[in-house]
Amino acid sequence: CIGHQNVALIVPRDHPLAERDSVDLAQLDGERFIAYDHQCKIRDHIDEIFESVGVRPKIVSETSHDTIIYGSVAARFGVALVPQPLSMRYNNVKVLSIENDIPRRDIFLIWKQVRYLSPVVKNFRDFVVKKDLALNDFRESIGQL
């Protein structure tokens, strides 16, 4: 495991929850959600989060693209659970932290030992492995852990 990734709620800037910095997911029952489609592994994690807090999301759209999710939320089509943005800012979207105790998403670096890795990829892999929790260190360095 090279780190973990927090999940956040994004809402349109004029949504009633946009006045807050955090949210209890139980308040979202009945909200319209933009979701990752089932081809994205994060969808399984987000479904697990909903199940853990007893919320049945009303999914109105599914996509595999972050930019479509952010754009759809900005256009007021719904709200979304997304990986906590590291540094990107989006117009007309407010990022809220989640108050609930939800399952953590660990991030792993994997590679096939039987496939060729270019020297650059090997160096990157070795750096990340040697650094240990590299993703968490990066978040700390930009003040977002």
Side-chain angles (χ1 to χ4, degrees):
C1 176
I2 62 169
H4 64 274
Q5 187 175 38
N6 294 324
V7 173
L9 177 74
I10 58 172
V11 299
R13 284 247 177 233
D14 61 355
H15 191 282
L17 290 173
E19 296 175 6
R20 304 182 60 179
D21 291 324
S22 63
V23 65
D24 179 339
L25 293 179
Q27 297 174 306
L28 301 177
D29 220 11
E31 280 281 347
R32 296 166 44 95
F33 275 88
I34 312 300
Y36 289 93
D37 63 30
H38 288 283
Q39 293 176 331
C40 299
K41 290 307 291 177
I42 192 162
R43 174 63 183 268
D44 295 338
H45 181 69
I46 289 172
D47 287 348
E48 182 182 0
I49 290 170
F50 283 129
E51 187 175 320
S52 76
V53 296
V55 170
R56 290 180 153 229
K58 181 180 178 183
I59 296 175
V60 296
S61 179
E62 295 179 338
T63 182
S64 59
H65 301 283
D66 292 327
T67 53
I68 293 174
I69 289 177
Y70 277 83
S72 297
V73 170
R76 299 181 195 94
F77 293 133
V79 300
L81 288 182
V82 296
Q84 177 76 41
L86 293 176
S87 62
M88 295 184 291
R89 303 286 182 240
Y90 290 90
N91 291 332
N92 300 322
V93 171
K94 172 80 183 270
V95 178
L96 304 174
S97 61
I98 296 171
E99 297 170 359
N100 309 74
D101 183 23
I102 59 174
R104 189 170 98 169
R105 183 171 190 236
D106 291 328
I107 304 297
F108 295 90
L109 178 67
I110 60 172
W111 62 93
K112 291 185 178 184
Q113 292 186 0
V114 295
R115 296 213 38 187
Y116 171 76
L117 295 178
S118 71
V120 171
V121 172
K122 280 184 183 177
N123 286 340
F124 174 75
R125 177 204 59 198
D126 294 346
F127 171 78
V128 170
V129 169
K130 188 185 313 180
K131 184 70 175 152
D132 200 18
L133 302 177
L135 183 61
N136 293 344
D137 291 343
F138 173 73
R139 274 201 292 266
E140 280 181 13
S141 74
I142 62 170
Q144 288 193 344
L145 192 63

